[in-house]
Every structure is written in structure tokens, then in C-alpha cells.
Amino acid sequence: MKLMICTSNKKKFEEISSMLKALNIEFVKPPYELDVEETANTFLSNAYLKARAYYEAFGIPALADDSGLVIEALGGRPGVYSARFYKEEFGSHVLKEEDYNLPKDDLNNLKVLRLLENEENRRAKFVSAIVVMMSNSQGIFGEGELKGYIAKEPSGSLGFGYDPIFIPEGYDVSLANIEHKNEISHRRKALNALFDMLKKVL
Amino acid sequence: MKLMICTSNKKKFEEISSMLKALNIEFVKPPYELDVEETANTFLSNAYLKARAYYEAFGIPALADDSGLVIEALGGRPGVYSARFYKEEFGSHVLKEEDYNLPKDDLNNLKVLRLLENEENRRAKFVSAIVVMMSNSQGIFGEGELKGYIAKEPSGSLGFGYDPIFIPEGYDVSLANIEHKNEISHRRKALNALFDMLKKVL
């Protein structure tokens, strides 16, 4: 069987295909990227909309993921808006005009830190959902979580996104300091969950 | 294996369990109904939120569905708002105060017919999504569609919901006139799609 991994990110393609390689399937890249709007309000549904769009465009089983950060004291935000949190109206008062010169990831992190400035509850989790559309009416999915806390300030240079301000449970440094991040990540857990399901349906 | 069918509707429970009976699993009803908000903007995601809530509450594999009517000329509405369309702000100008004395289903149908009064494009489809949460991080799903048209006026007394104003492709009467509705329905198609997946993962 062929499985299309719907990402234009090379590292993600490698991570996913190496994790699933024991399944003896052929991994293919999309011939071109589709512009799928991630308009849903759950991670699962965003992954589903993407997988479905690729299945419909190219006609082979398609795997897509969505992930983000869920912060308890912010009512689950940034959630499905993780990548574009700096642009969201929610909490926009904490950003000043000059902040917008920062790179997008830094701006997202700054916004989170300022919103949590006087907040004692710093509990948060990274969440990942991965959907495989097997036919035009059938699919499977796997999910993973990494629980932790929001740091007081950013640190570390590995990883990307919110990694510098996220301290996983059982650690005292941020994810951007952890070399083996990929082994403990929410996406790895989701891939493990998916692996079991794929093995059965193939 | 036990499978919890998350519905308080007896007919739905019977239909689903009889469709899946060849799988040799034990179907159980939820000990009590959970109040799960259907806040997602896709059918799949609503079914998922429901299945997940039941899995988390009772700890056994849980099946849940969501379905609705998608009308092309209304930009996909009523969609996930099918059951409560009469209450939606969209198009509320076509309903008068006295209309609100009607039963909910009649009011929904009236609203659709008035919104499409001068509309030539009457294409629509019923959509059903069924999700089974197999563990706290794994699931499968099946989907089904029934394509058709919105009638000029309601007719027929079988079925419920939008059935009296929906004419399936290949028919010249509404779904509320079709005795074998269950054999051609979107839910039946979704159940068929799910059946194949369940067979493999059990």
C-alpha cells in the first residue's frame, strides 16, 4: 500500500515515515501542497479536513496531523490557534506595536508569558492528533499528549514553536533544552497509537 | 468485546446494533446520558467529542454519530446546526413570531423552504459521521452521504427532521414517503463503511 504523508516539512516526513516503517508500506509525498484552511475547532477535525482534502485530490490513503498547546489558565488557548496566536484578538492588549517586529514564534511565546504573568496555575499540555483517511468514507486516528508547565521565561535553542517556554512533567528544563524531544513528544505518542491501528487495518 | 452505543434513541440503538451484529460483539447502552455539547463545526468532530466523552466516563469502546443536512445554496447550512437551525441568527428574518408555535422540525423545514423560495439551485445532501473511540487515544470512523434536492413543499409522514422536504436523487418523492428509508440512508452508508473498519480492528 501507498500512504501519502501530507506535509511539506521534510523533518516531519522523515520522523513519521521512520516511525511507521515496520508496516512495510510505501510513503509518498504530495505532488504539490494543497492550501487547506484549518478552520475546525478540534485538533482531530483539522487533521481530518487536511487528510480528506489530500485523499480527494490524489486518491490514495492520506495521513495528516494537527497539534498545538493547551493552557489550563487560558481556558484551553491557544489550542487550534497555536500557530497564529499572536494574531488572535484574545489577549491582544498585552502586545505592543514594537513587539510585532519579533519572529512569529517569539511573539507567540511573549504573548503567553505576558498573559500568565500573575498566574499561579501554569499547567499546560501539547496535544497531537493524526488522521489517516483510508478511503473516501473511512479513517483511523491516533492521539497523543505531553503534559507540563509554562516556564517563567523562554530558554533553550532546540525545537521550535512553544518549546522554549514549555517544561514537560518530570523535567526542570524547557523542551527546547531536551535532545531526545522526539522520543517523548505528543506527536510520537500519537504516532505510536496510530501504528497499532494501521497494523490492524492494512 | 463490548461496544457502547451512545444514544438514548431506542430506534437508533436497534438500527446500529442490528447492522453490526455480524461482528459478534456485545452492544451496551450507556448507564446514563451525558450532556455533551455539540460545539464542533464538522459532523466528524461532533461524533468524536461525544464518543470521547462516553469513553472517558465509562471506560469501554464507545460509538457515537452526528448527522445533518447540507444545502448548497445556503453555503452548506444548516450543517452541524441542523437540529437547531430555527434558532440560528442566519436567515432568522424569514420567520415570524407566530411561526414559533410550530413543532421544532416543522419550523426548521419552514425556514429552509422560505430561504430557498426564489432559489433554483436546490441541491442538498444528508451527511452522517460515526466515530468509535477504541481506547483513550485511538479511534476509527465511517461516513455516509445521501444526495438529493430540497422539495418545494413538505410531504409524507414517515421519518422525521428534514425528511419531508428532502427528495433523494433518483426518486420523485420526499424521504418521508419512502418506506425503505433506512436502507438508503446516509447513516446506513456510514454504518457500512464503519463495519469494514471494525471488522479489521477487532
Side-chain angles (χ1 to χ4, degrees):
Chain A
M1 188 188 97
K2 280 184 186 180
L3 179 64
M4 180 171 287
I5 301 179
C6 308
T7 179
S8 55
N9 179 322
K10 266 193 176 177
K11 280 196 183 163
K12 212 195 254 189
F13 185 94
E14 296 307 333
E15 188 194 348
I16 295 174
S17 54
S18 85
M19 267 295 296
L20 302 177
K21 69 167 180 271
L23 292 173
N24 219 1
I25 47 187
E26 183 188 345
F27 301 102
V28 296
K29 289 171 190 170
Y32 52 88
E33 204 176 344
L34 299 178
D35 187 19
V36 185
E37 278 194 76
E38 300 192 350
T39 53
N41 49 15
T42 62
F43 298 111
L44 187 93
S45 196
N46 274 329
Y48 159 76
L49 290 174
K50 205 162 142 188
R52 167 168 281 291
Y54 278 87
Y55 184 90
E56 284 174 2
F58 305 113
I60 63 171
L63 177 156
D65 77 319
D66 190 37
S67 60
L69 179 64
V70 172
I71 300 174
E72 205 173 275
L74 302 181
R77 292 185 183 83
V80 291
Y81 304 106
S82 289
R84 54 189 189 279
F85 189 46
Y86 69 98
K87 283 196 267 187
E88 291 298 312
E89 192 164 330
F90 176 88
S92 58
H93 61 281
V94 301
L95 292 178
K96 291 164 206 135
E97 213 184 309
E98 63 266 31
D99 295 333
Y100 287 91
N101 297 321
L102 290 170
K104 213 188 70 173
D105 281 357
D106 294 0
L107 195 50
N108 281 333
N109 286 334
L110 183 65
K111 187 170 176 177
V112 166
L113 290 178
R114 288 205 184 135
L115 285 170
L116 294 183
E117 214 153 41
N118 297 307
E119 178 60 54
E120 282 187 23
N121 175 8
R122 306 188 75 85
R123 269 197 294 270
K125 60 183 176 183
F126 273 120
V127 176
S128 169
I130 307 181
V131 171
V132 178
M133 204 73 207
M134 302 292 298
S135 74
N136 70 353
S137 64
Q138 294 168 310
I140 58 172
F141 58 90
E143 299 175 286
E145 280 187 7
L146 177 63
K147 289 184 181 166
Y149 304 90
I150 302 301
K152 290 283 181 188
E153 52 188 37
S155 77
S157 56
L158 308 167
F160 59 94
Y162 295 97
D163 291 354
I165 62 165
F166 183 86
I167 302 173
E169 249 177 25
Y171 290 79
D172 52 13
V173 292
S174 84
L175 210 47
N177 290 290
I178 300 175
E179 300 263 4
H180 59 288
K181 174 199 162 178
N182 275 351
E183 288 157 42
I184 63 166
S185 77
H186 46 306
R187 188 157 68 234
R188 177 61 60 97
K189 289 177 184 169
L191 276 168
N192 278 331
L194 186 80
F195 182 90
D196 283 346
M197 300 298 286
L198 262 175
K199 214 166 47 181
K200 289 176 183 164
V201 300
L202 288 180
Chain B
M1 189 187 95
K2 280 185 186 181
L3 179 64
M4 180 172 286
I5 301 178
C6 308
T7 179
S8 55
N9 180 322
K10 266 194 177 176
K11 281 195 182 165
K12 211 194 255 189
F13 186 94
E14 296 308 331
E15 188 195 347
I16 295 174
S17 54
S18 86
M19 268 295 296
L20 301 177
K21 68 167 180 275
L23 292 173
N24 217 0
I25 46 187
E26 184 188 345
F27 301 102
V28 296
K29 289 171 190 171
Y32 51 89
E33 204 177 343
L34 299 179
D35 187 19
V36 184
E37 278 195 76
E38 300 192 351
T39 53
N41 50 13
T42 62
F43 299 111
L44 187 93
S45 196
N46 274 330
Y48 158 76
L49 289 175
K50 205 163 141 185
R52 166 169 280 292
Y54 278 87
Y55 185 89
E56 284 174 1
F58 304 114
I60 63 170
L63 177 155
D65 76 319
D66 190 38
S67 61
L69 179 65
V70 171
I71 300 174
E72 206 173 275
L74 300 181
R77 291 183 183 84
V80 291
Y81 305 106
S82 289
R84 55 191 189 276
F85 189 47
Y86 69 97
K87 283 196 267 187
E88 293 297 313
E89 192 163 329
F90 175 88
S92 58
H93 61 281
V94 301
L95 293 178
K96 293 163 207 136
E97 212 185 308
E98 64 266 31
D99 295 333
Y100 288 91
N101 297 320
L102 289 170
K104 213 188 70 174
D105 282 356
D106 294 0
L107 195 51
N108 281 332
N109 286 334
L110 183 65
K111 187 169 177 179
V112 166
L113 290 177
R114 288 204 184 137
L115 285 170
L116 294 182
E117 211 153 43
N118 298 305
E119 178 60 54
E120 283 188 22
N121 175 8
R122 306 188 74 84
R123 268 197 294 269
K125 60 182 176 183
F126 273 120
V127 176
S128 169
I130 307 181
V131 171
V132 178
M133 205 73 207
M134 302 292 298
S135 74
N136 71 352
S137 65
Q138 294 169 310
I140 59 173
F141 59 89
E143 299 175 286
E145 281 185 7
L146 177 64
K147 289 183 180 164
Y149 304 90
I150 301 301
K152 292 283 182 186
E153 53 189 38
S155 77
S157 56
L158 309 168
F160 60 95
Y162 295 97
D163 290 354
I165 63 165
F166 184 86
I167 302 173
E169 251 177 24
Y171 290 79
D172 52 11
V173 292
S174 83
L175 209 47
N177 290 288
I178 300 175
E179 301 262 4
H180 59 288
K181 174 198 162 180
N182 275 351
E183 287 156 43
I184 62 166
S185 77
H186 46 304
R187 186 156 70 232
R188 178 61 60 95
K189 289 177 185 169
L191 276 169
N192 278 330
L194 187 81
F195 182 89
D196 283 346
M197 300 298 286
L198 261 175
K199 215 166 46 184
K200 289 177 185 165
V201 300
L202 288 180

